[in-house]
Amino acid sequence: MIPFDFEYYKPQTITDTIKLYHDLDLMGRKPIYYGGGTEFISMARMHNVYSEAVIDIKGIPELNIHEMKDNELIIGAAVTLTQIAELNLFPLLSLTVKRIADHTIQDKLTIGGNIAGTIIYRESVLPLMVADSDIVIAKKDAVDRLPLKDVFNKRMNLEKGDLICQIIIKKEYLNLPSIHVKRTKVEKIDYPLITMVALEKDKKIRTAFSGLGGYPFRSSKFEQLLNSNKSNKDTKIKDAINSLQSFITDDLHGSSEYKKFMLHNMLYEALENFEEGNK
Amino acid sequence: MIKFSGKTVLNLNINGENLDVVVKPSDTLLYTLRNELGLTGAKPGCENGDCGSCTVLIDDWPIKSCLMLTVEAKDKKITTIEGLKNAPIQKAFVENFAFQCGYCTSGFLMVCNSLALHKPKANNHTIQEWLQSNICRCTGYEEIQSAIKSIINNEI
C-alpha cells in the first residue's frame, strides 16, 4: 500500500503535460511523470519517493507510437518492454528488454521509465547507445530531437519537467550482426553482474555495458583497443579491459576481479561469434 | 484530461461485469480487488512485484496487481482468478498436482492462462520465461510446467 495520497492526472497531449507539470510544480505539489509505474509504486511503498501529483503519460498518442517511418524506427516512451519484444523490430533491443526484470513486469515497464528511472542499470539504453539513437525530449518551450549520447551521461540529463517522448533508431542499425549477453550472480531474474551488448558496423565492433560500474556506458577508448589490428584476441581483450581498470567496481553482485574475468570470457565469445558470422 | 483527486467512484470492468468502486488515486489494484470488492483470489505476497502471487490479467496480459494503480485500470478488461470459470488450465493444475500450499496458485494460473492464450505453441524456453515471473515457496515448479504443457499440447 502506498502510504501517502496524491492526485492522478492523465493528459492527452504533450503540450498539456508539460504545462501541467510546471503548474503543479509552481504549486509545490512535487509532480512526477508516471509511465509503467513499477518503480514509483515500489519506492513509494518504502517512503523512498513522494509526490502529491502523479501525471500518467500513457494517454499521449506520441508516446505510444511503435512503428517504422521514413526509414527510422520510432518507439514512444510509454511503449512497454513486452510490446518491444513482441514486435521485435530491433532484435538487439528485444533481446535486451526480455532480460530486464521478469516477463510479467515487462508487460508494465516502459522503455522511457527504464531509461529515466533511478535504478542504475538502465539496460534498455545499451542497444540505443551502440545504434547511435536519437531521443525526442519535450521541454517547457520546445520539443527537441537530440543524439542520445548528448543527453545520456551516466543517466539521462534532463531539466525539471522535461519529458522523454520518443526514441528513434535509423533503419540501417536494426538488423546488423549483434550480441546480447547478461550474466547474473545466481538467479536468472536479477540485476546484472554484467550486461553486454555488441553490434558490428562497418567491420568495427561497438559495445555498451551495464553492471560493470555505477552506470551504463559506451567507451570509445575501449572499442578502439578491442578493434585494434592485433591478431591475438586475448591481448586485444586484455588491453581493452585494462582501459576500464578504475571504472570496474566491487559490488554485491561480484568483485571487480571476478567481473574482469567474466568480461574477458564474454568478449572472447563475442569476438568468436562475430568472426564466425563473417566467414 | 482525466483527473482523480481524493475518493472517487470508478467503474471497472472485472470478470465481465461493470462494477462501481470507491477508490483513491493511491490505491493499488490489489488493494481494491481484495479490500473493496472482496475478490481475494489475488494474494498479497511481497507487494513489491517480485513474487507474482497477486497476478491478474489486464486486457488478457498478466500484470502484478500490487504494481498497478486502480485508476490505471479504467477502461481496461480486468480478469482475476474468480473470472476463470473452469478454464482448461485449472483442470490441468488439478490433474498434474500443480500446487501444494496453494498460496501462489492463483498467480500461476493467471500467468499460465495468458500464456496459453497468447502463445499456444510455446516452447520450453518461452514457458520458463513466463513462469519465472512467479515464485512457489513449496517449489512445485515441475508440476506447474507439466500442467501448462498439457494445455499447450492439447492433451486435455
Side-chain angles (χ1 to χ4, degrees):
Chain A
M1 185 186 285
I2 297 173
F4 55 87
D5 289 328
F6 50 78
E7 290 179 338
Y8 171 90
Y9 298 85
K10 193 172 182 184
Q12 312 294 313
T13 69
I14 291 173
T15 310
D16 284 353
T17 306
I18 299 291
K19 183 176 183 310
L20 178 65
Y21 184 97
H22 288 286
D23 288 350
L24 290 166
D25 188 46
L26 275 176
M27 289 188 272
R29 310 300 299 274
K30 300 180 175 61
I32 195 162
Y33 290 133
Y34 183 96
T38 54
E39 184 175 307
F40 173 75
I41 294 177
S42 55
M43 287 179 71
R45 196 176 63 86
M46 302 298 288
H47 297 274
N48 286 327
V49 66
Y50 178 77
S51 172
E52 293 169 10
V54 165
I55 304 171
D56 190 340
I57 59 171
K58 294 193 290 293
I60 306 168
E62 291 91 333
L63 274 66
N64 288 289
I65 286 176
H66 190 191
E67 63 185 20
M68 293 296 304
K69 194 176 178 187
D70 300 331
N71 287 322
E72 292 179 324
L73 170 60
I74 304 173
I75 306 176
V79 171
T80 66
L81 302 191
T82 294
Q83 289 169 331
I84 289 169
E86 290 288 319
L87 209 52
N88 196 25
L89 295 173
F90 182 17
L92 181 59
L93 182 61
S94 302
L95 287 171
T96 306
V97 300
K98 282 174 83 168
R99 289 296 313 277
I100 295 172
D102 62 51
H103 185 273
T104 304
I105 297 286
Q106 289 159 18
D107 293 342
K108 191 106 189 337
L109 190 56
T110 62
I111 188 162
N114 186 248
I115 292 171
T118 59
I119 296 170
I120 61 170
Y121 301 104
R122 304 183 181 99
E123 291 161 86
S124 56
V125 83
L126 303 179
L128 309 179
M129 283 177 160
V130 294
D132 293 337
S133 307
D134 288 345
I135 194 153
V136 177
I137 298 171
K139 295 174 170 291
K140 198 169 183 179
D141 303 314
V143 177
D144 292 335
R145 174 175 170 167
L146 303 162
L148 177 70
K149 63 182 170 59
D150 290 355
V151 283
F152 191 95
N153 179 16
K154 301 181 184 177
R155 64 185 62 84
M156 282 299 298
N157 294 309
L158 300 170
E159 289 175 25
K160 200 173 191 182
D162 286 359
L163 174 68
I164 299 176
C165 298
Q166 292 171 344
I167 293 140
I168 301 175
I169 306 134
K170 291 184 183 68
K171 187 182 177 185
E172 62 188 274
Y173 289 92
L174 300 181
N175 290 299
L176 290 173
S178 61
I179 289 169
H180 165 266
V181 186
K182 178 170 181 172
R183 297 277 182 254
T184 54
K185 186 178 180 182
V186 181
E187 302 290 339
K188 194 165 183 185
I189 308 291
D190 199 356
Y191 294 121
L193 173 75
I194 305 171
T195 294
M196 175 182 85
V197 303
L199 179 140
E200 189 178 43
K201 184 168 193 310
D202 303 330
K203 296 184 178 173
K204 300 283 184 193
I205 297 167
R206 299 156 166 235
T207 53
F209 302 94
S210 178
L212 279 177
Y215 48 86
F217 73 95
R218 179 181 172 197
S219 160
S220 55
K221 176 77 177 166
F222 180 91
E223 286 176 19
Q224 189 189 332
L225 292 163
L226 193 67
N227 288 297
S228 74
N229 292 326
K230 288 180 182 173
S231 58
N232 186 297
K233 275 200 282 289
D234 267 322
T235 310
K236 281 198 290 193
I237 292 169
K238 275 179 189 161
D239 289 349
I241 292 177
N242 281 339
S243 75
L244 303 176
Q245 197 69 258
S246 59
F247 176 78
I248 302 176
T249 53
D250 300 321
D251 59 31
L252 285 172
H253 299 276
S255 66
S256 57
E257 286 307 307
Y258 181 57
K259 288 182 185 179
K260 283 179 208 165
F261 168 76
M262 289 298 291
L263 180 58
H264 190 105
N265 292 338
M266 289 161 72
L267 286 166
Y268 196 93
E269 284 174 19
L271 291 184
E272 285 204 322
N273 284 338
F274 281 124
E275 280 174 10
E276 193 66 31
N278 288 332
K279 279 180 186 171
Chain B
M1 176 174 352
I2 295 167
K3 179 186 175 185
F4 293 112
S5 180
K7 288 189 175 177
T8 314
V9 176
L10 190 66
N11 187 269
L12 297 176
N13 183 291
I14 304 179
N15 301 328
E17 285 183 80
N18 288 316
L19 301 174
D20 285 337
V21 60
V22 176
V23 301
K24 290 190 300 176
S26 60
D27 288 343
T28 62
L29 182 59
L30 175 64
Y31 175 87
T32 302
L33 290 172
R34 292 182 59 85
N35 298 69
E36 299 294 331
L37 293 165
L39 296 170
T40 56
K43 303 296 181 197
C46 65
E47 294 190 62
N48 197 46
D50 296 320
C51 75
S53 64
C54 65
T55 303
V56 300
L57 304 187
I58 302 294
D59 293 338
D60 292 331
W61 286 90
I63 293 286
K64 296 179 183 182
S65 61
C66 70
L67 289 186
M68 181 167 191
L69 300 176
T70 306
V71 289
E72 281 183 88
K74 185 180 180 299
D75 300 326
K76 307 276 186 195
K77 174 187 162 194
I78 306 164
T79 310
T80 69
I81 185 69
E82 290 87 351
L84 290 193
K85 295 191 170 73
N86 297 320
I89 190 64
Q90 292 173 297
K91 188 178 176 197
F93 263 56
V94 173
E95 292 183 346
N96 288 275
F97 304 100
F99 45 83
Q100 291 180 53
C101 82
Y103 200 81
C104 71
T105 304
S106 52
F108 268 108
L109 280 168
M110 301 315 285
V111 167
C112 289
N113 195 64
S114 180
L115 174 58
L117 183 70
H118 292 288
K119 308 276 179 185
K121 294 179 180 175
N123 58 23
N124 285 347
H125 176 77
T126 303
I127 291 171
Q128 284 181 10
E129 207 170 61
W130 281 59
L131 293 186
Q132 277 165 354
S133 301
N134 295 54
I135 294 172
C136 168
R137 289 207 65 184
C138 307
T139 67
Y141 299 106
E142 284 299 320
E143 292 80 1
I144 293 168
Q145 280 196 50
S146 300
I148 182 63
K149 283 179 184 173
S150 74
I151 290 290
I152 284 172
N153 294 327
N154 296 316
E155 287 176 10
I156 62 171

